[in-house]
Amino acid sequence: MTTTATTRAKAGGVWRQTRTFDPAVRLLFLNQLTINLGFYMLMPYLAAHLADGLSMAAWAVGLVLGARNLSQQGMFLVGGALADRLGFKPLIVAGCALRTVGFGALAFAQSLPTLIAASLATGLAGALFNPAVRACLAAEAGEERRVEAFALFHAYYQAGILLGPLVGVALTGVSFRLTCVVAAVLFAGLTVVQLRHLPVRASAGAAGEAAGPAGEEGARGQFRTVLSHRTFWLFSLAMTGSYVLSFQVYLALPLAAGGTGVTTALFVVSALVALAGQLRITAWTRRRLSRERCLVLGLALLGGAFLVPAALGRGPVGLLLCVAVLAVANAVLYPYEMDTVVALSRGRWVATHYGLYNTVCGIGITLGNLGTGALLDVTGWSAAPWLALCAVGLGCAAAMALLARGGRLAAD
């Protein structure tokens, strides 16, 4: 079977499996596909627009881009807590509506303050809908089909990453303003569809307990429940390494590639491997491995991926093989990672747990990128940075194995 035919067959498998879920779950799949399509058609080209189109200094470009990341990572916990308090649907709708405004503002913003405000809005939007979407998906899919639902969710997530830049480069060839307007229209349409069709579902933590500032389940009780969860903290810290390693598709690997052609190929290979292999990999691991062993295996594969460029150097073959192994590792990890967050939360304040998880991993990515960049500055493109990244993955796998051996990751 040709590569094209294989990809079509896998896409057909994704669609057939999607149809076995309830309409609410299918809408959440569509939601994530559209979110990533709109985001990745615009954000990869924003820096060039700011620097070339608006003639901004490099520090100003960094400030605008950093504002989006800071507002999103810094507000994940708040977004998750609000979703548990107010319900998942209001936060998903509000986040998509706010991103509509943010992307629309980017189309016409000229001054630095306006650009920062628009960037802050797009980041805050992600903090509002991201934990709510995942918590809502877990609730709508149910315990029996949660892993399967997150596997499909990851496939749609990767499809958006694959299609977004392709659509964006065509639109940006006309004008960046057109790209922003089209992205804003996508989010506006998504907002309306979710407002009309997404069912209202309250968090188990909020619905099943008495709420109030004076009670145990007031805001302080909600945060105390999540922030005092020692096992969840240990799990989040162990998983942070996976995000540091996965982010090298945006940092070390493109820098090593040194050209737009190979860099583009890295993203295409990553998305295609996830699309073609996600369901088969999840089905195989569910038959043969426990959730805990899948987490350990995925982390070990992430670390092992960097042995390829350590051995083969910066050539395209080594880099493409590395990104392919990273994609397989993430396909192994993602459904069980998301499922473990729900299991450790015991079904209470699920969105708040997702918010804290995203915040911890976001901080880890920032620190990991600083460390990776510093190591590259010192050692250049020797085997040292790749071996250090490998060590991170293997260390996180060992930490996860210790958690699993102690029975801490088992659901109640």
Side-chain angles (χ1 to χ4, degrees):
M1 184 181 290
T2 65
T3 301
T4 302
T6 301
T7 303
R8 287 176 180 170
K10 293 303 178 185
V14 168
W15 175 241
R16 284 193 298 272
Q17 199 158 340
T18 298
R19 292 175 63 186
T20 66
F21 283 93
D22 292 338
V25 177
R26 297 201 299 265
L27 179 55
L28 291 169
F29 294 152
L30 173 65
N31 172 68
Q32 195 58 49
L33 172 65
T34 309
I35 284 173
N36 278 15
L37 174 63
F39 182 85
Y40 284 96
M41 76 165 57
L42 185 154
M43 292 307 295
Y45 310 106
L46 178 58
H49 166 71
L50 297 175
D52 301 330
L54 300 182
S55 301
M56 295 179 65
W59 67 266
V61 174
L63 182 60
V64 172
L65 298 180
R68 186 209 65 79
N69 187 67
L70 178 64
S71 64
Q72 183 160 320
Q73 299 294 343
M75 294 297 288
F76 268 135
L77 180 57
V78 174
L82 288 174
D84 278 329
R85 280 283 156 189
L86 305 177
F88 304 140
K89 179 176 179 176
L91 270 293
I92 295 172
V93 171
C96 288
L98 183 58
R99 186 156 282 182
T100 301
V101 174
F103 280 174
L106 285 175
F108 301 98
Q110 301 287 324
S111 66
L112 182 59
T114 306
L115 287 163
I116 291 175
S119 192
L120 287 170
T122 63
L124 178 58
L128 293 179
F129 61 63
N130 192 301
V133 165
R134 284 152 179 77
C136 189
L137 179 64
E140 293 293 338
E143 185 175 355
E144 291 298 319
R145 301 199 70 188
R146 210 161 55 206
V147 169
E148 182 185 353
F150 277 118
L152 278 167
F153 184 83
H154 191 236
Y156 281 100
Y157 186 99
Q158 292 295 330
I161 293 177
L162 176 63
L163 295 174
L166 300 178
V167 175
V169 73
L171 293 174
T172 304
V174 178
S175 75
F176 183 75
R177 177 171 293 179
L178 175 63
T179 306
C180 293
V181 170
V182 171
V185 169
L186 277 177
F187 273 94
L190 189 59
T191 303
V192 172
V193 169
Q194 291 177 123
L195 189 60
R196 295 185 60 182
H197 298 291
L198 191 65
V200 176
R201 178 183 278 271
S203 163
E209 307 281 354
E216 174 64 21
E217 292 307 321
R220 285 185 299 176
Q222 175 184 358
F223 282 110
R224 184 162 56 248
T225 298
V226 178
L227 295 177
S228 63
H229 196 325
R230 185 169 180 267
T231 299
F232 185 74
W233 276 103
L234 293 173
F235 169 75
S236 300
L237 291 172
M239 285 302 302
T240 294
S242 73
Y243 284 82
V244 173
L245 299 180
S246 298
F247 198 86
Q248 300 315 309
V249 176
Y250 302 92
L251 180 62
L253 293 171
L255 289 176
T260 56
V262 178
T263 298
T264 301
L266 294 176
F267 287 99
V268 171
V269 167
S270 178
L272 287 179
V273 169
L275 282 171
Q278 180 67 69
L279 298 185
R280 178 174 291 179
I281 289 169
T282 302
W284 186 88
T285 54
R286 291 190 78 179
R287 288 194 303 269
R288 291 169 172 80
L289 302 172
S290 66
R291 171 161 53 86
E292 293 80 5
R293 288 185 176 181
C294 289
L295 293 171
V296 175
L297 174 62
L299 288 166
L301 283 173
L302 280 174
F306 292 96
L307 291 176
V308 180
L312 300 182
R314 298 171 58 187
V317 173
L319 298 179
L320 290 171
L321 283 174
C322 177
V323 82
V325 177
L326 288 174
V328 170
N330 279 310
V332 172
L333 266 179
Y334 187 83
Y336 302 101
E337 167 196 355
M338 294 292 104
D339 184 59
T340 303
V341 173
V342 182
L344 290 176
S345 74
R346 303 180 184 90
R348 295 179 67 242
W349 309 121
V350 176
T352 311
H353 280 84
Y354 275 125
L356 176 60
Y357 183 73
N358 287 331
T359 299
V360 172
C361 292
I363 294 171
I365 288 172
T366 301
L367 296 177
N369 286 345
L370 288 174
T372 302
L375 189 60
L376 288 172
D377 285 338
V378 172
T379 65
W381 293 109
S382 66
W386 306 122
L387 292 176
L389 291 168
C390 176
V392 169
L394 297 180
C396 289
M400 192 65 69
L402 289 175
L403 283 175
R405 183 176 299 175
R408 294 184 176 185
L409 300 180
D412 289 347

